[in-house]
Amino acid sequence: MASAILAVCWPEDFPVYDYRVRDQILDSPKVSQSWKFERIWEAYEKYKAKVFELVPEESSLRNKDRFLYGKSNALQLEEDIERLFKKVDK
């Protein structure tokens, strides 16, 4: 939630930390609430750098977020279609 607030107030400086975008970043750790602030911030900074790296086109940070979110949605839809929208036990 904090990243969403930062992204609304400063969209050119802070991406939204979203699980769909994080899943597009293969080496991005899942942030834990038990982590200390410094470790969370370090992981967030790495996440932000990867967002820039994965979408190198000249576009806003917010649009880079949207691109990776949309890519995740598209991949999930393809998987849903392949299994004919049957639920998968996780």
Side-chain angles (χ1 to χ4, degrees):
M1 169 112 97
S3 69
I5 293 168
L6 290 170
V8 167
C9 294
W10 297 280
E12 294 305 313
D13 298 318
F14 298 99
V16 175
Y17 184 84
D18 182 86
Y19 79 94
R20 288 187 173 276
V21 175
R22 187 201 64 229
D23 289 349
Q24 296 298 305
I25 301 171
L26 301 177
D27 60 346
S28 184
K30 294 182 181 180
V31 174
S32 170
Q33 291 184 0
S34 66
W35 289 5
K36 293 191 179 203
F37 174 79
E38 291 78 15
R39 186 171 178 197
I40 292 171
W41 189 253
E42 182 182 323
Y44 182 75
E45 287 290 316
K46 288 179 183 176
Y47 170 88
K48 179 180 174 181
K50 280 299 219 177
V51 168
F52 275 103
E53 182 182 319
L54 290 172
V55 189
E57 297 90 39
E58 290 297 321
S59 62
S60 70
L61 180 57
R62 188 66 191 114
N63 283 339
K64 291 173 188 285
D65 266 347
R66 288 181 180 121
F67 175 84
L68 293 171
Y69 183 88
K71 183 177 175 183
S72 173
N73 273 337
L75 291 172
Q76 181 179 351
L77 179 58
E78 289 173 1
E79 291 169 3
D80 289 344
I81 290 169
E82 278 184 28
R83 63 173 199 282
L84 302 173
F85 292 91
K86 294 178 183 170
K87 291 197 179 230
V88 175
D89 295 329
K90 289 187 178 183

